[in-house]
Amino acid sequence: MMKIKSLLPLLILSLQMSAQDTTAPRTASQERLFTLEDLNFGGNNYHNMQPQNKWLTWWGDQLVRTDVEECYLVDKKTGKESLLFTLEQVNQWIQSDDDRFVRHLMNATFPYADKPLVALGNRRAFILVDFKKHEVVWQDSISGQTANDWNSCSKATAYVDEHQLYVVDAEGRKHQLTTDGSREIVYGQAVHRNEFGIMKGTFWSPDGQRLAFYRMDQSMVADYPQVDIFPREATYEPDKYPMAGMTSHQVTVGVYDLTTDKTIYLKTPMGSVLGDSVADPRPVYFTNIAWSPDGNTVYLFELNRRQNDCRLVSYDAKTGQRIAELYRETSDKYVEPLQPIQFLPWDDSKFIMQSQRDGYNHLYLYNKDGKLLSQLTKGPWVVMELIGFNLKQKAVIFKANKEHPLHHRLYSVSMKGEIKQLETVDGVHQATLSPSGNYLIDKYSTPTRPRVIDLVDVCKAPKATPLHLLEAADPWEGYQTPVFECGSIKAADGQTDLYYRMVKPADFNPDKKYPTVVYVYGGPHANNVQASWHWASRSWETYMAQKGYIVFILDNRGSQHRGRDFEQATFHQLGQIEMQDQMKGVDYLKTLPYVDMNRLGVHGWSFGGFMTITLMLNYPDVFKVGVAGGPVIDWKWYEVMYGERYMGTPQNNPEGYAKSSLIDKAKNLKGKLQIITGYNDPTVVPQQCLSFLDACIKAGTQPDFFAYPGEEHNMRGHASVHLHERITQYFEDYLK
């Protein structure tokens, strides 16, 4: 670790110099200026300003490039492409008409390594096309469904229609699994408000003969009164929204057997979902559902409402009976299971479990009875993703920030714990592994390289040179590109390294003074600074730099990918440690002669909106202008799962809630503050903003307020362009 730290300043200096060198010969008269139509994801020209990309997928160990109108087979030795089929051919083979046609091939998949079959979707069906025989070999006929989940082994599809859960088998027979589904009884969809890594609600067994699914009873949860203002008479469209310390929903897990057409429910112990029973040790959260390779056992993590007692439990998929508790992890703060266990494909008696029990998220090898066999990875770094397995080498492929917190690299680890790096370039990597694990598609970027795609032979890496498939040109060539820099400072504890990004105008002059905006998020499960293109800079920062601002971004303690203690430093006192660290960033800005401390602003969204107002009210003489989007004002109005994990409940942590609340601090507002929200935000409900406005009215302070009708937590489509122009204009009006 000492070696990494000693090399970092040289790396940063080198990349800073590189970024500055690229701007040296440019003149403003020769270069184009950006607009938000170029930079914002909702902009009309945004797609043209993105680095070139290739969409690649696997057909067994064969590499396929998909495009809008063609699919190509890619030679793994030379990169040479040969046409597999075209969109026109597919629509001829399936005899498309105006209603039944495939619109593009970008999402084509090849589910069978040994068969020339491509899986495609059209407006009315999901189809398998034999591209050698030129015919449809199978299709479903489901339309209008949600939560669609198809299994390639059984060809059965699970889906939800009119609140009920159905399965259609390979022969097209329709099986209705539920009859009491409603807005209040939810089947087959994500539960627990997508916390704990939950992104869906149906889970097929490996052979596709059994389906585990969530049932969520939220009839006891209070409605939040959202309103649709667009009809002639506004209509009531409430959201179920369980607030911290209040009554939550109740979840159970069902298992449907396709061979018997029967459903059973796992006999899980159920704790209280009531707000006054948070101390109940029984589980209320059920997450990370996994199957045994033979499809006879269901595994899930069970978590109590305080989220400090987590257990991995196995259940009989035939009877629903509890088999065993395989693992238990407790904490004086919280335990957060985010990934299901994964069985070794070459040994179905062992599985990999992820945990940060030693302070960092790592991989552990267990046998199926719950005996720990070994800790496969270890050290002061984080395993960020288990990508898959290499069957030939019997190794696990994973992504981690082992070399440095800002670099996301690719590795394999053997069952003996021997780690091998799979690529040789610093940066931020993403991998797509072939089914055998012999090859991976490595998409990565560095601070000065927008996008690179390599094909890596896992068995030969890192000695063999990867096949270079793409080196994207700079799509911003010819535009006035800012100077992007990265560095580190010490946290408020005087010991912990915090990393920042600074964005300066293209014609930056160190002898001038610049208005400066601190962009902040600061909350869990996010970080802003990475060693990807432009140090992961948001495009809005480029827009602000073009207008003559410096933008400063610091990842404080509480953000992700730095280990358990770094993340949990904010426990029960959200906003406090984060604020201390952000003010260390301000102290650093004070040392820079080109930062005009009389023109310092702050902006953030969601947790960053909370941090923006927190900083404005606690340091009213430091920050002159702020723009807070979708801000939490008081955590008692936030939802149960996230809120109670980090803050407990208002009942058991009244001091923490009082300290973090912004209501009683409304009187401190001195600078110009604009608050923005989506009028129908289901995440940070409008009650938060409106309550703060009421507090400001009572205190006699004067924030500005803007709402986007019909929008949720983040502005969608072209509304995002409008939003960022509004944010920019506020700083132009009051900071510049």
Side-chain angles (χ1 to χ4, degrees), residues 299-343:
Y299 301 84
L300 64 155
F301 285 97
E302 301 178 350
L303 195 63
N304 64 335
R305 180 156 173 177
R306 289 187 66 179
Q307 303 183 43
N308 63 355
D309 190 343
C310 176
R311 306 170 192 232
L312 173 63
V313 182
S314 58
Y315 288 89
D316 189 310
K318 296 179 182 178
T319 66
Q321 292 291 339
R322 187 176 191 267
I323 299 173
E325 178 182 306
L326 304 178
Y327 174 76
R328 183 180 183 186
E329 185 175 333
T330 61
S331 170
D332 59 351
K333 294 182 178 176
Y334 56 87
V335 182
E336 191 176 9
L338 292 171
Q339 303 293 339
I341 63 171
Q342 295 193 43
F343 279 84

Side-chain angles (χ1 to χ4, degrees), residues 55-67 69-75 80-93 105 108-113 115-120 129-135:
W55 283 262
L56 299 160
T57 189
W58 291 105
W59 172 23
D61 270 350
Q62 297 190 77
L63 184 61
V64 176
R65 181 172 73 84
T66 63
D67 210 329
E69 297 189 355
E70 299 94 12
C71 282
Y72 297 90
L73 196 64
V74 183
D75 188 287
K80 184 178 179 180
E81 297 182 351
S82 55
L83 184 68
L84 272 181
F85 49 83
T86 69
L87 178 63
E88 182 180 5
Q89 289 173 329
V90 166
N91 280 310
Q92 288 176 351
W93 300 336
L105 300 176
T109 60
F110 299 80
Y112 307 102
K115 299 176 182 178
L117 301 180
V118 58
L120 299 163
V129 177
D130 188 317
F131 51 86
K132 290 192 174 179
K133 293 184 178 180
H134 304 170
E135 62 184 17

Side-chain angles (χ1 to χ4, degrees), residues 536-552:
S537 178
R538 300 167 65 249
S539 295
W540 176 77
E541 297 161 21
T542 290
Y543 193 57
M544 290 295 284
Q546 182 176 274
K547 288 184 174 291
Y549 295 84
I550 288 174
V551 186
F552 180 79

